[in-house]
Amino acid sequence: MSDIIVVCPRCGGTAVVRPQTDPTTALPWFCPRNLSCLACAYSATWQPEGSSSCWGGPFDPYFRRPLWLQASCCGGKTLWAFNREHLELIDGYVRARLRERGPERPYTSLLEKLPAWIKSAKHRDEITRTIQRLRATLPSEVGERRMPR
């Protein structure tokens, strides 16, 4: 679990939520996090308290800030990604003409959990255009102020 790009609560620019420790350690989802904005110097810290993270929507699971990378798509659905890598993963999946399942494994991958409307081939072109729009809002440096369209 790497950096998550969010909307800064102070200035509305891009901010980043990043782990305070090495995210490859055991239970990386529950390590302390920092939220920081280079544009306005806002910062905050999140400490794990039980299962206080909340996953499953267009907001970061720690500070509950709106994700920077989100846009309306396919008739009012929201396409969202945590960061550049997540956006590229979704893009690669959507563009793939053949989606083969890997070997049996005891867990479900992130791609298998995508909503049916993203997996549907009939939405491929619209989702690809939306991903291109989101990619254009990515700052070269976190903290740069570029609002999503």
Side-chain angles (χ1 to χ4, degrees), residues 30 46-54 61-62 64:
F30 300 110
W46 176 87
Q47 293 291 329
E49 296 172 11
S51 59
S52 62
S53 63
C54 181
Y62 305 101
R64 315 279 199 286

Side-chain angles (χ1 to χ4, degrees), residues 13-115:
T14 55
V16 66
V17 174
R18 76 176 27 118
Q20 288 182 358
T21 58
D22 180 8
T24 61
T25 60
L27 300 174
W29 304 278
F30 300 110
C31 67
R33 306 278 165 159
N34 290 328
L35 186 153
S36 58
C37 176
L38 295 178
C40 72
Y42 177 84
S43 68
T45 302
W46 176 87
Q47 293 291 329
E49 296 172 11
S51 59
S52 62
S53 63
C54 181
W55 296 83
F59 50 88
D60 90 273
Y62 305 101
F63 294 92
R64 315 279 199 286
R65 295 297 310 149
L67 295 176
W68 185 262
L69 296 171
Q70 64 173 294
S72 182
C73 183
C74 300
K77 309 273 190 216
T78 301
L79 179 66
W80 55 269
F82 288 122
N83 53 36
R84 181 184 310 270
E85 294 80 17
H86 189 201
L87 189 64
E88 297 305 326
L89 183 68
I90 294 168
D91 187 40
Y93 181 84
V94 168
R95 289 178 184 264
R97 298 290 179 189
L98 179 62
R99 299 174 185 156
E100 294 179 324
R101 292 192 80 149
E104 289 299 319
R105 52 195 178 270
Y107 60 89
T108 304
S109 77
L110 175 127
L111 295 173
E112 292 165 342
K113 290 183 177 185
L114 287 172

